[in-house]
Amino acid sequence: MASLDNEWPNFDGVPEEDALISARPRGQKLARYVWWDGEVREADSLNVHYYANALHYGTAVFEGIRCYPTERGAALVRVQDHVERLISSARLYGMKLPFSADELARGALEVTRRNGMENGYLRPLAYFGSGPIDLRPKKECPVRVFIAVRELGTFLGEDALRNGIRVTISSWRKFHHTMLPTMAKASGHYANSVLAAHEAMDRGYDDAILLNQDGTVASATGQNVFFVKGGVLYTNDVGSSIVPGITRDCILNIAREQQVPIEIRPFTREDLLRADEIFMTGTAAEVTPVRELDGAEFVTGKSTLGAAFQRAYLRAVTGKDEKRLGWLTFVR
Ligand SMILES: Cc1ncc(COP(=O)(O)O)c(C=O)c1O
């Protein structure tokens, strides 16, 4: 196995390391403009009908896209992959989007530019609007699409990225892909995540991992789960009812390049408890180490493989990795 330490020096003595995490906005301020049905509009002028089908039945699909500052100005991360996943989520719900992937990607760039956003999070969302009380929204409800923007620094806080989070196994199980199309990022699916996240909070944890009905691990409330054991990187796939994350794909790409052995297979709570390291990936959470799982402690910090992946990922998304500039679309 290649030594990641040789490729990316430790956190110690790497000046840009601090900049990768610390120089971030603290809040989540909403931006002034929203891209709404094809035009950039003032956010304050927009509203959603109280009888929107999506509000009643969770019939919306959405994405989360990061925008980072780079030496060449702000850049969106893997925007094409995100808009394509939005279209595929919509399709799984019988929702025909009136915009192509290219139009949505252009809209995302335009609204980021108009807002002058650097450390941002874009929320493209497509929903079934107001129609009759009916569980067949594709028949009559209009489809509305917007891309909202807000500031976002570290999602779970700076300490979470550096030192890791405390996680519990939820008593709520993840719904199976035969119950709902788990590959879709659909609003209604997140009721499951909300229950698990509330439970974690009430128990004093930062987040929860949901198990499938068969006891294998699905994912965290909004992140994919990885673990390291004996220098091998493990994660599951769509057979475990996960959303196949774009960040997950970035980590697997980095692992392949670094010749870190990878095993993609279903895994259990027991596998996690026996792991050397655990970390989670997601657009918002980036690469977040886990320092505790229900009382069991795990190593985090500069010596870990997780930290090397985090550093490699943050370097790539901030334009510091020449080989991965293809992940970025520059706003200007
Ligand atoms: C349930 C769930 N799993 C995984 C992910 C990670 O996906 P991505 O890396 O594409 O943000 C997310 C976030 O979008 C999610 O909500």
Side-chain angles (χ1 to χ4, degrees), residues 42-237:
E42 291 270 356
D44 286 350
S45 69
L46 303 169
N47 53 58
V48 173
H49 197 280
Y50 60 87
Y51 242 118
N53 189 276
L55 191 59
H56 297 247
Y57 305 122
T59 53
V61 294
F62 68 93
E63 274 302 317
I65 308 175
R66 277 270 194 177
C67 165
Y68 287 99
T70 77
E71 276 185 359
R72 291 164 59 186
L76 299 184
V77 181
R78 297 189 62 168
V79 62
Q80 201 68 24
D81 294 311
H82 281 286
V83 294
E84 280 170 14
R85 188 170 64 184
L86 182 77
I87 290 171
S88 134
S89 298
R91 199 167 152 206
L92 283 162
Y93 270 88
M95 184 189 281
K96 287 200 182 84
L97 295 192
F99 301 100
S100 67
D102 284 349
E103 285 167 328
L104 292 168
R106 274 201 299 276
L109 286 168
E110 191 188 346
V111 73
T112 308
R113 189 182 312 118
R114 283 286 291 277
N115 281 307
M117 189 56 71
E118 289 223 306
N119 281 287
Y121 182 82
L122 276 66
R123 172 50 55 87
L125 188 144
Y127 70 96
F128 280 119
S130 168
I133 304 178
D134 196 330
L135 291 171
R136 298 169 297 175
K138 72 176 183 181
K139 200 164 154 241
E140 283 184 65
C141 294
V143 174
R144 308 256 178 248
V145 187
F146 67 75
I147 306 174
V149 184
R150 70 192 312 160
E151 241 176 22
L152 187 65
T154 51
F155 178 55
L156 299 160
E158 211 178 299
D159 185 62
L161 276 191
R162 288 188 195 283
N163 302 317
I165 57 170
R166 298 179 56 248
V167 174
T168 185
I169 300 281
S170 178
S171 66
W172 294 100
R173 295 294 170 108
K174 172 80 191 224
F175 51 88
H176 192 253
H177 57 72
T178 54
M179 301 171 180
L180 289 166
T182 45
M183 285 170 78
K185 268 182 78 72
S187 299
H189 299 188
Y190 283 80
N192 186 227
S193 290
V194 167
L195 290 169
H198 277 170
E199 182 183 41
M201 186 177 76
D202 293 343
R203 288 184 187 169
Y205 286 89
D206 301 309
D207 198 15
I209 286 176
L210 291 106
L211 302 180
N212 291 306
Q213 204 55 45
D214 67 0
T216 57
V217 171
S219 62
T221 56
Q223 301 94 313
N224 293 119
V225 180
F226 284 82
F227 69 96
V228 177
K229 175 82 179 164
V232 179
L233 182 68
Y234 293 84
T235 197
N236 52 11
D237 68 9

